[in-house]
Amino acid sequence: MAVAVCPGRPERVRRVRRARDSAGRRVVHLHYADAARAAARSRFRPLADATEAARSCFGPDERSAALRFPTAPDEELSRIP
């Protein structure tokens, strides 16, 4: 089932506020409202904790290899004339 995205809805229900960037008019920063920030933290804290626990199981060399792996095929393909 497709989910309709309502770009202005989070702002209408006061979960975020928009602020235009002073250096670039097309840049818009979204800032959480205080209540929304607390809700987001409580919702995503378990994900952050699980990610950190999984990350701690791997040494620096393993993490480095895992980060390089997704881009390695593109690098190899770029060498083909």
Side-chain angles (χ1 to χ4, degrees):
M1 171 181 6
V3 176
V5 177
C6 300
R9 187 175 183 280
E11 190 173 24
R12 283 195 305 273
V13 296
R14 301 186 192 283
R15 290 195 178 121
V16 298
R17 69 176 171 77
R18 296 172 191 254
R20 290 249 180 230
D21 188 82
S22 59
R25 285 193 30 84
R26 294 186 343 187
V27 176
V28 177
H29 298 278
L30 298 177
H31 301 275
Y32 274 116
D34 291 337
R37 182 180 295 118
R41 281 189 181 136
S42 68
R43 177 158 182 115
F44 292 109
R45 175 54 47 201
L47 174 62
D49 292 343
T51 300
E52 181 55 31
R55 184 182 171 279
S56 70
C57 294
F58 297 92
D61 291 340
E62 292 171 304
R63 290 192 305 265
S64 178
L67 291 172
R68 286 192 326 270
F69 182 78
T71 60
D74 286 340
E75 291 171 12
E76 293 299 322
L77 287 171
S78 71
R79 294 186 182 115
I80 297 173

